[in-house]
Amino acid sequence: MEAAAIPASDGVMPSKPGSSYEAVRRLASSSAVVLFSMSDCCMCTVAKTLLFGLGVGPTVIELDKLDGGGHDIHAVLRQLAPGGGGALHDWQALPAVFVGGKFLGGLETLMARHINGTLVPLLKDSGALWL
């Protein structure tokens, strides 16, 4: 299972400078591992605990702590989530995990990769783990 790159433009979401889509691209590429979260989301806490437990120091972006509540960024993340679109509930789009600037997925994908042994090699390849 390959992590999905965020295309420069997919014809649906604009990639113009200053757009929420561009903000997600910029933030997702700012660190080896980036986790978009809400501070009161239990699945987000599980994802953070797993990553920190593996020795990864992800950049955690708490959307509810951003100016305006991060609603625009959250809308972009919902588009990236499986079955993307407005029909998803907020919790289904979070956590959103990016590794090496590519969208990995949510908690289900993160846990599946951990269980099948592909998460640590991916984290090593991205520079998030040294050993």
Side-chain angles (χ1 to χ4, degrees):
M1 182 186 315
E2 281 293 311
I6 303 173
S9 177
D10 62 4
V12 176
M13 292 182 289
S15 61
K16 64 184 177 194
S19 72
S20 298
Y21 187 71
E22 186 59 32
V24 170
R25 283 175 32 88
R26 182 178 37 78
L27 290 167
S29 299
S30 68
S31 181
V33 178
V34 177
L35 189 143
F36 290 88
S37 173
M38 289 278 200
S39 57
D40 62 349
C41 169
C42 61
M43 292 191 302
C44 297
T45 300
V46 170
K48 289 182 266 189
T49 301
L50 172 60
L51 291 169
F52 283 117
L54 291 173
V56 175
T59 297
V60 178
I61 299 164
E62 301 285 0
L63 297 180
D64 55 327
K65 303 289 184 189
L66 297 177
D67 289 341
H71 298 292
D72 292 345
I73 289 175
H74 201 172
V76 172
L77 297 173
R78 280 196 293 281
Q79 290 291 325
L80 293 173
L88 290 177
H89 295 288
D90 288 350
W91 60 269
Q92 291 175 307
L94 296 173
V97 182
F98 291 79
V99 178
K102 296 179 180 178
F103 179 63
L104 178 65
L107 181 61
E108 186 176 331
T109 303
L110 187 69
M111 293 302 293
R113 284 196 166 234
H114 178 59
I115 290 167
N116 71 21
T118 61
L119 181 59
V120 169
L122 178 66
L123 295 170
K124 286 181 181 177
D125 289 346
S126 73
L129 284 176
W130 298 97
L131 302 173

